Amino acid sequence: MERILINGEWYVKEVKEDIKVDFMFSNSCIVETDKFCFEATRCMKDDNESYYPDISIDVTKKEGDRKDWGKEYWDGTEWMRGVLARDSKCLEELTDYVTDAYNQKVFMKLLEKLDKIGWL
């Protein structure tokens, strides 16, 4: 503890702590229905100009009370490409969680849009 004398009074010198914060910026695309919310995110590299090649999708399954909604984090870009290519194994994994045809189509529309704008 370092002390300093000011006008005849002793004080404890404040030590300013240098806090390092690592900021990460991202872009996201959200599509929502009454049963699901899909939020695709891509993160910017440290150069603040380009993005990492992989994306993630936060999936909220709206069943029951809001506090009971299911949450998933999907970060398999190759799997997403497989769904987009209609790979049977990838589609089976999708239908295990997104069980109704309408929301499966919504998810496919999201992947198609992400592919069109260069995220996939």
Side-chain angles (χ1 to χ4, degrees), residues 24 39-43 54-60 70-76 79-80 97:
M24 180 172 281
E39 181 177 1
T41 304
R42 67 180 187 156
C43 294
D54 293 332
I55 65 168
S56 63
I57 299 180
D58 288 312
V59 181
T60 303
K71 300 222 182 252
E72 292 267 329
Y73 175 80
W74 297 348
D75 64 349
W79 173 80
M80 293 175 208
Y97 194 73

Side-chain angles (χ1 to χ4, degrees), residues 15-20:
V15 177
K16 293 190 178 182
E17 184 179 347
D18 185 27
I19 299 173
K20 183 173 175 9

Side-chain angles (χ1 to χ4, degrees), residues 20-116:
K20 183 173 175 9
V21 178
D22 187 19
F23 293 97
M24 180 172 281
F25 295 92
S26 64
N27 285 42
S28 66
C29 175
I30 301 169
V31 64
E32 189 168 10
T33 69
D34 61 334
K35 292 185 180 180
F36 282 90
C37 179
F38 303 105
E39 181 177 1
T41 304
R42 67 180 187 156
C43 294
M44 186 176 276
K45 292 182 179 180
D46 291 338
D47 63 11
N48 291 326
E49 293 178 12
S50 58
Y51 291 86
Y52 290 104
D54 293 332
I55 65 168
S56 63
I57 299 180
D58 288 312
V59 181
T60 303
K61 192 173 191 176
K62 304 178 196 177
E63 290 183 337
D65 292 333
R66 181 176 281 254
K67 64 180 173 40
D68 298 325
W69 287 359
K71 300 222 182 252
E72 292 267 329
Y73 175 80
W74 297 348
D75 64 349
T77 303
E78 288 304 314
W79 173 80
M80 293 175 208
R81 287 187 184 113
V83 170
L84 194 55
R86 312 263 190 303
D87 176 80
S88 60
K89 185 174 187 244
C90 296
L91 288 173
E92 182 180 329
E93 291 171 350
L94 172 64
T95 59
D96 285 346
Y97 194 73
V98 182
T99 55
D100 66 289
Y102 176 77
N103 284 291
Q104 292 166 9
K105 290 176 186 175
V106 169
F107 185 75
M108 290 295 291
K109 286 286 191 187
L110 172 63
L111 293 182
E112 289 167 359
K113 181 66 170 181
L114 296 176
D115 188 47
K116 184 177 180 180

